[in-house]
Amino acid sequence: MTINEIQQGIIKEFENITEWEDKYALLIKFGRDLAPFPTEFRTDKNKIEGCQSQVWLNASFSNGKLLIDADSDSTIVKGLAALLIKVYSNQTPTEILSSPPEFLHKIGIDNHLSPTRKNGLGAMLKQIQLYAVAFNALNREQL
Amino acid sequence: MISFSQENDIIVKESKYRKFDVNEIRRDFPILERKVNGKPLVYFDNAATTQKPNVVIDSMTHYYRYENANIHRGLHFLSEVATEQYENSRLKVKEFINAMSASEIILTKGTTDGINLLANTMCRADLLNEGDEIIISHMEHHANIVPWQLLCDRKKTKLVVIPIDDNGELMMDEYKKLISPRTKLVSIVHTSNTLGTVNPIKEIIEIAHKNNIPVIVDGAQAVGHQKIDVQELDCDYFVFSGHKLFGPTGIGVLYGKAELLNKLPPYQGGGDMIRTVTFEKTTYEDIPNKFEAGTPNIVGGIGLGVAIKYLNMFNFQDISRHENELLQYATEKMILIDGLRIIGTAKNKASVISFTIDGIHPYDLGTIIDTDGVALRTGHHCTQPLMKRFNVPATARASFSFYNTIDEIDVFINALNKAIKMFR
């Protein structure tokens, strides 16, 4: 599936949820369902320091695609990380860089990306994009 | 009912205290009527900043509409009106904390600015040097840690820390042991923004003074909750912010004993703080102007004066009694919640409750509770060493002001229980 298709799928999933707590209940579920974060990835290098919560992010490159693993000490932030992984993991760097996370705004939780939240999520998104740039450059070199 | 006369004076008899009626008080604060996420706002983040009464808001718009001019310069009508109002606020502050003279009141940007002013000027006056020690406590806000660390880096001065016990109370015996001939300054928080602990500030000052050590008191969380009398405390310096006192942000107070302030060099250079300027030599104004370079936050100063005038209508005993009721009620309800741990259980405590709940991250708790319109603070509250002391990465914090109610605490407790259900 393309990034756009995945984003549309998430938007649809949230479409009929009007109550805030139900939205968060779904996010909490995504957070809980996220694949366990391998302990060897839990390094200082992979840690994105937030003021309010912390995020760990590991990226690797396989068959021209970026693979992302993430974790957070906050369940809601972990749920948001799970959404970013759904959208951006297993995609090519080119597609990642040309697809902003519009779904966050559409489902009404882009406030968690605001710098005042200091939850490490904005930094996580930036980090994914940086990895995409780096792997893109690497890809070109190998070609 | 409070209204403005043409001279922008609040018509109120200051000699008589207003009857303490929380519902009536709430009507003075327009923001308390608003809804958040479709629910009535429950504002429990008063330790971060307090809300503003109509009189403060109105005084500020009134100033900009009818009285705006620069102060301390210009003979014209508006300049005189603005100057009089600004200086009148200084007088209000002087009376509010019972300083000996209005010249001992330096208007700053806030508590942080006040401490930085002192750290910088004490550094330049060589009052703190290599091998000297500054005593602070383990419960300081970063604003009373970092300015001293910057000074210590330059002067090779040492920062020593009074430990606290598991209740979040200062270990006074340890404090006494830390005092030595090397101690040149004590800079200490009056009321902890995270724990709510109210420190025995008078005793701390007495002990320091017996050893001829000056004391700075960070009063940011104390003002607005209890009567402050700097002469009775005999503190050498006292700093606080206007915005925690129902006044505007960006304005604060540094009180200092005149004899000490006179010995400090100017902080920043510029207009308004000089007597004569030539390219060869500049002479400075006396206090307080010496420390107030440039056009100040005029409207902030005026707003602060009105906030103090508003607060003066109440008896601090009524405010304390009400806030203590809120603290007791909330504490009793909260300790019944399974897995809830209150951080800060001092005997003498302000209406601040920091807490954690087993298995739920404070960020998650704050986010869910916000959907019910309840404003809490989550995070390290600018007290990272304190978080480490209690072995928690962060806490959630509810802090009450005199306009909060028991009903609001019930809403908060229900929201807490709902959030817990979602995560467990």
Side-chain angles (χ1 to χ4, degrees):
Chain A
M1 269 204 284
T2 66
I3 289 183
N4 193 28
E5 284 164 353
I6 300 167
Q7 292 207 48
Q8 291 310 317
I10 294 171
I11 293 164
K12 214 163 186 190
E13 214 164 338
F14 276 88
E15 209 167 45
N16 295 322
I17 304 177
T18 49
E19 292 295 319
W20 272 107
E21 51 187 280
D22 296 333
K23 265 187 204 181
Y24 283 119
L26 188 56
L27 269 180
I28 291 164
K29 187 185 167 300
F30 284 138
R32 289 195 172 135
D33 293 347
L34 185 64
F37 193 68
T39 36
E40 66 265 29
F41 291 169
R42 210 174 251 269
T43 60
D44 280 350
K45 189 183 140 263
N46 280 344
K47 193 171 168 185
I48 298 171
E49 199 88 40
C51 176
Q52 300 261 3
S53 61
Q54 290 157 0
V55 174
W56 288 265
L57 173 78
N58 187 75
S60 56
F61 199 48
S62 172
N63 296 327
K65 288 178 174 177
L66 190 70
L67 302 176
I68 307 162
D69 283 286
D71 200 2
S72 173
D73 50 355
S74 146
T75 312
I76 289 173
V77 174
K78 201 170 159 181
L80 291 160
L83 287 182
L84 289 179
I85 287 174
K86 252 184 217 269
V87 172
Y88 291 117
S89 189
N90 210 15
Q91 300 288 347
T92 64
T94 314
E95 200 174 351
I96 290 170
L97 291 171
S98 58
S99 314
E102 282 161 355
F103 73 103
L104 286 172
H105 176 66
K106 293 260 168 66
I107 64 177
I109 50 171
D110 51 340
N111 57 336
H112 284 272
L113 273 178
S114 101
T116 59
R117 290 261 171 174
K118 293 183 182 164
N119 56 12
L121 195 79
M124 178 183 168
L125 186 65
K126 208 183 246 173
Q127 198 61 35
I128 291 173
Q129 289 163 343
L130 283 175
Y131 276 120
V133 170
F135 286 128
N136 224 358
L138 198 72
N139 221 6
R140 257 187 241 121
E141 262 174 43
Q142 282 168 356
L143 289 172
Chain B
M1 185 67 200
I2 306 150
S3 61
F4 284 99
S5 71
Q6 277 191 330
E7 290 77 36
N8 193 25
D9 256 332
I10 307 169
I11 304 168
V12 122
K13 281 190 180 150
E14 279 187 272
S15 57
K16 257 189 176 173
Y17 290 123
R18 198 171 130 178
K19 187 173 149 258
F20 193 93
D21 178 336
V22 71
N23 293 320
E24 221 172 83
I25 291 167
R26 289 179 70 82
R27 283 197 283 274
D28 297 338
F29 293 81
I31 205 168
L32 299 179
E33 285 167 25
R34 72 158 289 172
K35 290 193 168 176
V36 168
N37 293 322
K39 314 271 171 64
L41 166 69
V42 174
Y43 187 76
F44 283 174
D45 195 14
N46 293 287
T49 197
T50 54
Q51 298 302 344
K52 319 304 170 200
N54 275 315
V55 281
V56 169
I57 299 163
D58 292 349
S59 73
M60 294 172 78
T61 52
H62 182 94
Y63 169 78
Y64 275 135
R65 275 183 203 284
Y66 304 109
E67 291 163 344
N68 177 53
N70 210 332
I71 58 166
H72 299 156
R73 54 202 94 176
L75 289 171
H76 59 82
F77 176 81
L78 284 182
S79 180
E80 276 189 20
V81 169
T83 303
E84 196 185 317
Q85 288 214 61
Y86 189 74
E87 290 305 322
N88 194 31
S89 286
R90 197 188 304 277
L91 276 173
K92 282 263 163 290
V93 174
K94 179 226 160 219
E95 287 159 16
F96 183 64
I97 61 170
N98 193 30
M100 190 109 70
S101 145
S103 66
E104 295 179 317
I105 306 299
I106 317 294
L107 293 171
T108 62
K109 285 189 284 182
T111 307
T112 302
D113 192 34
I115 297 174
N116 276 283
L117 186 157
L118 289 173
N120 275 279
T121 53
M122 285 177 173
C123 180
R124 292 214 337 268
D126 292 328
L127 295 180
L128 297 147
N129 296 298
E130 186 168 352
D132 289 345
E133 291 180 353
I134 304 167
I135 294 180
I136 60 168
S137 83
H138 209 133
M139 65 174 88
E140 299 308 321
H141 187 281
H142 294 165
N144 198 24
I145 303 173
V146 185
W148 303 115
Q149 285 174 328
L150 290 170
L151 178 146
C152 289
D153 284 348
R154 271 176 76 176
K155 294 285 208 173
K156 297 196 168 51
T157 308
K158 203 175 152 202
L159 208 55
V160 291
V161 183
I162 311 169
I164 55 173
D165 64 18
D166 290 342
N167 289 322
E169 288 180 342
L170 279 182
M171 296 166 83
M172 290 296 282
D173 288 341
E174 297 298 319
Y175 166 53
K176 288 173 199 161
K177 281 187 220 160
L178 285 176
I179 289 183
S180 79
R182 292 184 298 278
T183 313
K184 292 288 150 54
L185 180 70
V186 173
S187 189
I188 188 104
V189 67
H190 195 315
T191 300
S192 160
N193 70 312
T194 305
L195 305 171
T197 308
V198 181
N199 285 320
I201 213 74
K202 204 169 174 206
E203 193 188 338
I204 291 168
I205 293 165
E206 276 170 10
I207 292 166
H209 282 182
K210 267 186 202 151
N211 295 277
N212 295 317
I213 303 162
V215 180
I216 301 171
V217 178
D218 166 3
Q221 298 291 339
V223 289
H225 300 282
Q226 65 178 95
K227 174 74 192 149
I228 299 295
D229 184 330
V230 289
Q231 290 192 69
E232 204 236 324
L233 285 177
D234 196 27
C235 55
D236 301 282
Y237 304 96
F238 191 96
V239 287
F240 63 95
S241 302
H243 72 97
K244 304 215 199 256
L245 195 66
F246 317 104
T249 53
I251 188 83
V253 173
L254 157 63
Y255 156 82
K257 287 179 180 167
E259 57 187 283
L260 296 173
L261 289 176
N262 280 328
K263 284 183 193 151
L264 294 175
Y267 178 35
Q268 292 172 327
D272 226 20
M273 54 79 75
I274 50 87
R275 199 167 283 158
T276 58
V277 176
T278 65
F279 287 119
E280 289 73 37
K281 187 172 169 57
T282 292
T283 56
Y284 307 115
E285 276 282 8
D286 292 331
I287 56 168
N289 302 45
K290 181 169 86 173
F291 294 109
E292 296 181 2
T295 297
N297 180 358
I298 302 169
V299 73
I302 291 169
L304 172 62
V306 175
I308 288 173
K309 206 165 179 177
Y310 173 78
L311 202 51
N312 279 343
M313 294 191 297
F314 299 95
N315 186 341
F316 264 114
Q317 281 176 353
D318 292 335
I319 291 175
S320 297
R321 193 188 317 115
H322 180 72
E323 288 180 353
N324 205 35
E325 270 170 28
L326 296 175
L327 175 70
Q328 295 307 325
Y329 184 78
T331 306
E332 279 163 26
K333 293 269 172 183
M334 285 167 78
I335 51 175
L336 296 176
I337 294 172
D338 185 34
L340 189 143
R341 174 187 172 204
I342 292 178
I343 312 282
T345 46
K347 280 188 284 295
N348 193 2
K349 201 179 153 176
S351 51
V352 170
I353 307 177
S354 266
F355 63 99
T356 59
I357 295 177
D358 287 348
I360 305 176
H361 195 283
Y363 183 89
D364 295 338
L365 199 64
T367 302
I368 298 303
I369 281 188
D370 181 57
T371 64
D372 275 326
V374 180
L376 290 187
R377 179 77 181 269
T378 60
H380 53 60
H381 317 292
C382 295
T383 53
Q384 286 181 7
L386 200 52
M387 295 292 110
K388 218 170 176 182
R389 166 67 180 75
F390 285 95
N391 204 19
V392 289
T395 71
R397 180 187 70 188
S399 51
F400 314 122
S401 186
F402 74 141
Y403 43 62
N404 290 125
T405 65
I406 295 284
D407 288 348
E408 287 183 306
I409 291 173
D410 287 336
V411 172
F412 161 58
I413 297 291
N414 286 338
L416 257 185
N417 282 320
K418 195 172 89 183
I420 290 166
K421 254 189 218 153
M422 285 180 78
F423 289 100
R424 280 198 181 146

